[in-house]
Amino acid sequence: MTTIRVLDPVDDVALVDGFYQAAPDYWIMADGIAPDLAKARAFFTDGPPGCDPAQSYRCGYFIAGRLSGVAELSFGYPDPTDADLGLMMFGPWAQGAGHGHRFLGHMEMLAQQRNAKAMFLAVLAANPRG
């Protein structure tokens, strides 16, 4: 069974940190180092220029109760009426099983509910599967 829910910046930091520790590959590829607790905290505050983190969605994708993916959706970038999917990643145990399609659809629905005219995302050049 899968569920998607908004993650809480206080109650879920340890959960995100545990997920990052179990799935460090993306951060090693992106930053060259394994993620730490500061990276988990930054998940709840980072975002594109000019976007209010308090107006963003930070969601978790759970498979059988285990946090298996995270996504961040901000509003107001690159234009005020746009949404930006700044991060969407899964743990290796959840990759290649079609979960990305469902999670992306959920994030698109959130953008539509906020009347975003367009939704943008960027993919690391080093991440061709993304």
Side-chain angles (χ1 to χ4, degrees), residues 81-102:
T81 60
D82 295 335
D84 181 78
L85 184 62
L87 174 70
M88 188 171 88
M89 65 177 283
F90 285 93
W93 61 91
Q95 295 172 3
H99 298 294
H101 182 73
R102 180 168 184 238

Side-chain angles (χ1 to χ4, degrees), residues 45-56 74-80 82:
T45 58
D46 283 351
C51 294
D52 180 0
Q55 298 300 312
S56 300
S74 294
F75 296 91
Y77 183 84
D79 289 322
D82 295 335

Side-chain angles (χ1 to χ4, degrees), residues 6-130:
V6 172
L7 297 172
D8 183 87
V10 175
D11 295 337
D12 291 326
V13 170
L15 188 64
V16 172
D17 184 49
F19 170 72
Y20 283 177
Q21 297 309 310
D25 294 355
Y26 174 84
W27 294 114
I28 292 170
M29 177 178 44
D31 298 339
I33 59 171
D36 58 10
L37 182 57
K39 181 62 76 176
R41 288 185 180 126
F43 171 72
F44 294 99
T45 58
D46 283 351
C51 294
D52 180 0
Q55 298 300 312
S56 300
Y57 288 104
R58 318 298 171 143
C59 295
Y61 190 96
F62 294 82
I63 301 171
R66 180 183 188 185
L67 181 60
S68 298
V70 295
E72 176 272 323
L73 182 66
S74 294
F75 296 91
Y77 183 84
D79 289 322
T81 60
D82 295 335
D84 181 78
L85 184 62
L87 174 70
M88 188 171 88
M89 65 177 283
F90 285 93
W93 61 91
Q95 295 172 3
H99 298 294
H101 182 73
R102 180 168 184 238
F103 206 10
L104 179 60
H106 181 83
M107 302 311 285
E108 288 174 331
M109 179 200 63
L110 293 174
Q112 290 169 351
Q113 287 176 348
R114 293 274 296 271
N115 298 313
K117 301 293 184 210
M119 186 169 100
F120 293 87
L121 63 96
V123 178
L124 293 175
N127 185 14
R129 288 184 61 204

